[in-house]
Amino acid sequence: VNEFYSSTDHMTRLIDIRKEFARCLHGYIEALEGQVDALKRTLNTLEKDFDDAPEDPEKFISNPLAAFQLVRKLSRVWATTQEHLEGRRNTETLEKLRSTAQTLPGADDVDGVVMALVRLQEMYRLDPRNISLFSQVSHNLTLDPDETFHIAMISYHSHRLQYALLWMEETLRKLDEGEEANVTKDEVLYQLASFSHQLAVIQMPSRPEPTNGGLLHPALHKSLIESIKTWEWTAKYIPHTDTENTYEALCTGKRVAMTPQRERKLVCRYRRGRGNPLMLFKEEVEWDQPMILRYHDFLSEGEIDTIKTLARPKLSRAQVIDAVSGKRVSAASRVSQSAWLYEDEDPVVTQVNQRIADVTGLELQTAESLQIANYGIGGQYEPHYDSKLTNDSDFQLRGGRIATVLIYMSDVDIGGATVFPDVGAALQPKRGSAVLWFNLLRNGNEDIRTLHAACPVFVGSKWVANKWIRTYGQEFRRKCSTIKSD
Ligand SMILES: O=C(O)CCC(=O)C(=O)O
Ligand SMILES: [Fe+2]
């Protein structure tokens, strides 16, 4: 499975794939044309014979030279034709075309992108009629009615009836404006009626059954169009849990007000490394309860490039453990691609790990390898605790995930913040900076305030590196830490 959509880095490959596929198709068409030319030549020689057909066939064929020519020609005509039909050039180019086709995205990828679109829409409250928000980002893109219809149907199948209705309405509008499409207006109206009925948006004169010929009852049609016009763009039909509410609020830029006393604690300062006092770090207190620290200019541009280059060939869809089956599965709750970079894989990895030890003063022998992640369109990670791992095979050996160091390796134009819904903290990705927090309290219990999430990326490519530091080995180190954690 390619799963292009889960990583922006992989999505960019599609642009090359498009070029390669076009090149192969061109080659194949040329080979076919060559073949057609050869077939035409064969046909020509046969037709030429009709034109100078003998007046007296019997006399003609009694000429041994003529007989020889005709018999020879006809005995070979099928072989020649077949040779052209199975032209070797053709077979080669067709093989190339076939193998390039293997790299094309599939229907799953389309669904993935649509799901991402719907997720973004849900998170950032985007009205399909206001889709220009997407188009402003690049090249004045517009969708055709078949495309908006597709989005509507996927929204419907993923139980987002409200969005399904809005996209279907957009489809109808486009058809009304005379845009060309495969989907018919009747189909669209039928779906619209069904969605509206299910949402109880409109008063039904009767069940939303089409009248003769699949047409919608005119009264129903009218009431449908009227209600859509006045229909408010709200989330009232989609219930949210508390966490989601705050998660969404934080992702969309809403902030809880802090008391001035607390705000005064959010300072920026130069700090000696807790593990290496010879090193100075630009430390910013991003949050006080729980303490979240940010280190600016933690990675250099060169280090970021090297790390991305190392990770690229290893990226694969990040997985979560399925609660029921206990198996690792892909899930909409975590849309990104990730890769592990090992300690001695490259001097830059060693160097970055050393810097993490220098700044935190924590033992890294028991830590996990550096995990690199690249998020795709709408890429996100729903609220979770880093310390709550199902099937943690390392627990016995290393202890729990005492601390997280999250390094941002890109800026994100819109979206993609790391948010802590229970306390109201929101960290904007800033290229080269690293954030640090403790997942476990000093008594070893989980700090439930560290519930956090990665907001869907709206515009941009988000790259992060995660270092999860484990409990074993910190017995004498965390005490020395000045990080005030209960
Ligand atoms: O990418 C982010 O902002 C957070 C990622 C995260 O929480 C994780 O990978 O555990
Ligand atoms: Fe996390």
Side-chain angles (χ1 to χ4, degrees):
V1 206
N2 292 315
E3 296 214 1
F4 286 102
Y5 62 90
S6 54
S7 147
T8 316
D9 200 58
H10 281 190
M11 286 293 287
T12 57
R13 271 189 225 161
L14 288 181
I15 294 165
D16 292 333
I17 289 175
R18 177 176 62 184
K19 228 185 244 164
E20 178 61 14
F21 189 78
R23 211 179 56 80
C24 290
L25 188 57
H26 191 261
Y28 182 60
I29 289 172
E30 262 186 356
L32 281 183
E33 278 168 352
Q35 216 178 331
V36 168
D37 286 347
L39 288 171
K40 274 187 184 156
R41 274 196 303 277
T42 313
L43 179 64
N44 273 342
T45 63
L46 293 172
E47 281 179 342
K48 207 166 135 273
D49 293 344
F50 304 158
D51 293 342
D52 18 271
E55 263 166 43
D56 184 347
E58 208 176 340
K59 191 173 162 214
F60 171 74
I61 214 78
S62 65
N63 178 342
L65 285 184
F68 163 68
Q69 228 176 19
L70 182 63
V71 169
R72 183 175 179 273
K73 196 180 260 177
L74 288 186
S75 75
R76 293 162 54 118
V77 72
W78 177 234
T80 327
T81 308
Q82 247 178 340
E83 213 172 274
H84 297 320
L85 283 179
E86 299 161 1
R88 279 208 26 213
R89 217 156 101 74
N90 171 18
T91 330
E92 265 169 41
T93 48
L94 182 59
E95 254 340 288
K96 262 194 209 135
L97 189 63
R98 283 220 174 94
S99 74
T100 316
Q102 301 289 315
T103 62
L104 295 172
D108 285 358
D109 289 301
V110 182
D111 289 359
V113 178
V114 174
M115 284 305 297
L117 214 80
V118 172
R119 236 180 2 254
L120 284 173
Q121 202 179 355
E122 202 168 24
M123 175 64 79
Y124 300 109
R125 301 267 180 268
L126 299 174
D127 184 331
R129 281 162 288 192
N130 193 11
I131 203 73
S132 55
L133 244 174
F134 286 109
S135 15
Q136 274 163 23
V137 175
S138 73
H139 314 105
N140 282 329
L141 293 172
T142 54
L143 299 176
D144 69 31
D146 289 319
E147 290 166 335
T148 52
F149 184 79
H150 190 145
I151 300 176
M153 292 312 288
I154 300 272
S155 306
Y156 176 66
H157 291 304
S158 57
H159 313 289
R160 274 129 169 137
L161 203 48
Q162 178 200 24
Y163 297 89
L165 183 69
L166 286 163
W167 280 106
M168 205 51 88
E169 189 236 337
E170 177 71 2
T171 310
L172 183 65
R173 196 185 57 73
K174 283 172 182 290
L175 289 177
D176 279 342
E177 282 176 2
E179 285 191 44
E180 293 284 319
N182 289 322
V183 68
T184 66
K185 201 167 158 177
D186 288 349
E187 265 175 275
V188 171
L189 282 172
Y190 184 74
Q191 296 294 351
L192 259 182
S194 152
F195 297 169
S196 315
H197 180 59
Q198 290 177 56
L199 271 175
V201 170
I202 53 172
Q203 301 297 318
M204 287 303 192
S206 61
R207 275 170 50 86
E209 283 191 11
T211 57
N212 53 336
L215 278 174
L216 216 56
H217 194 283
L220 175 57
H221 183 187
K222 190 158 175 283
S223 106
L224 185 61
I225 301 298
E226 281 310 307
S227 52
I228 282 168
K229 269 191 207 142
T230 55
W231 197 51
E232 287 261 300
W233 172 255
T234 66
K236 63 185 166 190
Y237 296 102
I238 301 172
H240 289 292
T241 68
D242 280 352
T243 302
E244 275 168 342
N245 262 333
T246 329
Y247 169 43
E248 287 176 5
L250 284 170
C251 286
T252 49
K254 295 190 186 67
R255 299 287 175 264
V256 284
M258 248 189 179
T259 60
Q261 293 96 304
R262 282 184 67 193
E263 209 151 337
R264 252 177 266 129
K265 292 188 201 155
L266 308 186
V267 293
C268 205
R269 61 208 170 192
Y270 276 95
R271 248 336 241 270
R272 293 190 180 282
R274 291 180 173 84
N276 180 354
L278 296 178
M279 286 182 71
L280 272 188
F281 291 95
K282 278 185 213 163
E283 183 186 79
E284 180 177 0
V285 182
E286 283 268 3
W287 203 255
D288 57 340
Q289 298 160 9
M291 183 70 89
I292 305 172
L293 300 171
R294 190 192 298 252
Y295 297 96
H296 295 277
D297 306 320
F298 190 73
L299 288 195
S300 70
E301 289 297 313
E303 286 167 334
I304 291 175
D305 286 346
T306 306
I307 290 176
K308 283 185 185 173
T309 308
L310 292 170
R312 251 186 206 110
K314 294 202 213 175
L315 288 177
S316 66
R317 175 77 189 261
Q319 301 196 304
V320 294
I321 309 277
D322 182 67
V324 182
S325 69
K327 295 207 177 98
R328 305 185 70 83
V329 291
S330 297
S333 61
R334 190 178 184 190
V335 181
S336 63
Q337 297 215 3
S338 56
W340 295 97
L341 296 186
Y342 302 104
E343 170 73 18
D344 41 15
E345 187 163 336
D346 187 281
V348 168
V349 180
T350 321
Q351 191 175 305
V352 170
N353 286 338
Q354 185 56 49
R355 196 165 308 141
I356 294 172
D358 288 346
V359 74
T360 59
L362 294 171
E363 173 59 62
L364 288 199
Q365 286 297 316
T366 53
E368 293 171 48
S369 296
L370 201 60
Q371 191 194 58
I372 314 303
N374 176 231
Y375 292 79
I377 309 163
Q380 62 171 358
Y381 195 173
E382 285 179 0
H384 65 278
Y385 297 99
D386 284 356
S387 52
K388 271 202 175 68
L389 288 171
T390 339
N391 294 347
D392 181 10
S393 54
D394 277 350
F395 191 83
Q396 293 294 326
L397 212 65
R398 305 168 186 267
R401 282 177 167 174
I402 190 172
T404 297
V405 175
L406 174 66
I407 307 172
Y408 298 109
M409 299 196 295
S410 64
D411 298 318
V412 181
D413 293 335
I414 310 177
T418 311
V419 298
F420 292 68
D422 285 350
V423 297
L427 314 173
Q428 200 52 43
K430 185 171 171 246
R431 194 179 166 96
S433 73
V435 292
L436 161 72
W437 68 86
F438 281 86
N439 299 300
L440 302 180
L441 299 169
R442 283 177 191 276
N443 63 14
N445 289 342
E446 236 140 36
D447 187 342
I448 55 159
R449 300 168 303 176
T450 61
L451 181 78
H452 63 281
C455 299
V457 175
F458 186 32
V459 183
S461 176
K462 181 183 175 187
W463 284 89
V464 297
N466 263 306
K467 188 77 176 173
W468 288 295
I469 302 175
R470 298 284 188 146
T471 310
Y472 292 177
Q474 318 306 344
E475 295 81 357
F476 303 105
R477 295 181 183 242
R478 195 175 177 196
K479 263 195 264 173
C480 327
S481 152
T482 56
I483 294 167
K484 271 188 246 116
S485 196
D486 318 315

PDB file of all heavy atoms in Angstrom, residues 18 148 173 192 307 402 454:
ATOM      1  N   ARG A  18       3.426  11.302 -12.083  1.00  0.00           N
ATOM      2  CA  ARG A  18       2.580  11.773 -13.171  1.00  0.00           C
ATOM      3  C   ARG A  18       3.410  11.955 -14.444  1.00  0.00           C
ATOM      4  O   ARG A  18       3.036  11.526 -15.524  1.00  0.00           O
ATOM      5  CB  ARG A  18       1.918  13.095 -12.780  1.00  0.00           C
ATOM      6  CG  ARG A  18       1.067  13.678 -13.895  1.00  0.00           C
ATOM      7  CD  ARG A  18       0.350  14.918 -13.466  1.00  0.00           C
ATOM      8  NE  ARG A  18       1.286  15.984 -13.104  1.00  0.00           N
ATOM      9  CZ  ARG A  18       0.902  17.156 -12.618  1.00  0.00           C
ATOM     10  NH1 ARG A  18      -0.354  17.400 -12.412  1.00  0.00           N
ATOM     11  NH2 ARG A  18       1.798  18.073 -12.314  1.00  0.00           N
ATOM     12  N   THR A 148     -16.962  16.948  -6.409  1.00  0.00           N
ATOM     13  CA  THR A 148     -17.697  17.333  -5.196  1.00  0.00           C
ATOM     14  C   THR A 148     -18.706  16.236  -4.810  1.00  0.00           C
ATOM     15  O   THR A 148     -18.926  15.985  -3.627  1.00  0.00           O
ATOM     16  CB  THR A 148     -18.417  18.692  -5.367  1.00  0.00           C
ATOM     17  OG1 THR A 148     -19.195  18.649  -6.551  1.00  0.00           O
ATOM     18  CG2 THR A 148     -17.426  19.839  -5.453  1.00  0.00           C
ATOM     19  N   ARG A 173     -25.368  23.005  -7.156  1.00  0.00           N
ATOM     20  CA  ARG A 173     -25.125  24.382  -7.600  1.00  0.00           C
ATOM     21  C   ARG A 173     -24.276  24.381  -8.881  1.00  0.00           C
ATOM     22  O   ARG A 173     -24.565  25.092  -9.833  1.00  0.00           O
ATOM     23  CB  ARG A 173     -24.418  25.159  -6.490  1.00  0.00           C
ATOM     24  CG  ARG A 173     -24.449  26.671  -6.656  1.00  0.00           C
ATOM     25  CD  ARG A 173     -23.627  27.385  -5.585  1.00  0.00           C
ATOM     26  NE  ARG A 173     -22.224  26.951  -5.560  1.00  0.00           N
ATOM     27  CZ  ARG A 173     -21.334  27.282  -6.476  1.00  0.00           C
ATOM     28  NH1 ARG A 173     -21.676  28.026  -7.496  1.00  0.00           N
ATOM     29  NH2 ARG A 173     -20.087  26.848  -6.384  1.00  0.00           N
ATOM     30  N   LEU A 192     -29.535  14.329  -2.097  1.00  0.00           N
ATOM     31  CA  LEU A 192     -29.827  15.506  -1.266  1.00  0.00           C
ATOM     32  C   LEU A 192     -31.069  15.274  -0.420  1.00  0.00           C
ATOM     33  O   LEU A 192     -31.086  15.559   0.775  1.00  0.00           O
ATOM     34  CB  LEU A 192     -30.061  16.716  -2.162  1.00  0.00           C
ATOM     35  CG  LEU A 192     -28.918  17.706  -2.324  1.00  0.00           C
ATOM     36  CD1 LEU A 192     -29.377  18.860  -3.204  1.00  0.00           C
ATOM     37  CD2 LEU A 192     -28.451  18.236  -0.978  1.00  0.00           C
ATOM     38  N   ILE A 307      18.738  14.684   8.742  1.00  0.00           N
ATOM     39  CA  ILE A 307      17.763  13.805   9.387  1.00  0.00           C
ATOM     40  C   ILE A 307      16.618  13.454   8.430  1.00  0.00           C
ATOM     41  O   ILE A 307      16.211  12.294   8.316  1.00  0.00           O
ATOM     42  CB  ILE A 307      17.242  14.444  10.688  1.00  0.00           C
ATOM     43  CG1 ILE A 307      18.378  14.433  11.717  1.00  0.00           C
ATOM     44  CG2 ILE A 307      16.020  13.710  11.216  1.00  0.00           C
ATOM     45  CD1 ILE A 307      18.059  15.103  13.005  1.00  0.00           C
ATOM     46  N   ILE A 402       9.181   8.538  30.670  1.00  0.00           N
ATOM     47  CA  ILE A 402       9.181   9.605  31.680  1.00  0.00           C
ATOM     48  C   ILE A 402       9.081  10.994  31.058  1.00  0.00           C
ATOM     49  O   ILE A 402       8.380  11.867  31.577  1.00  0.00           O
ATOM     50  CB  ILE A 402      10.432   9.471  32.594  1.00  0.00           C
ATOM     51  CG1 ILE A 402      10.338  10.397  33.798  1.00  0.00           C
ATOM     52  CG2 ILE A 402      11.712   9.710  31.835  1.00  0.00           C
ATOM     53  CD1 ILE A 402      11.446  10.156  34.832  1.00  0.00           C
ATOM     54  N   ALA A 454      -1.705  16.265  18.061  1.00  0.00           N
ATOM     55  CA  ALA A 454      -1.178  17.049  16.944  1.00  0.00           C
ATOM     56  C   ALA A 454      -2.370  17.440  16.080  1.00  0.00           C
ATOM     57  O   ALA A 454      -3.068  16.583  15.546  1.00  0.00           O
ATOM     58  CB  ALA A 454      -0.176  16.223  16.143  1.00  0.00           C
TER      59      ALA A 454
END
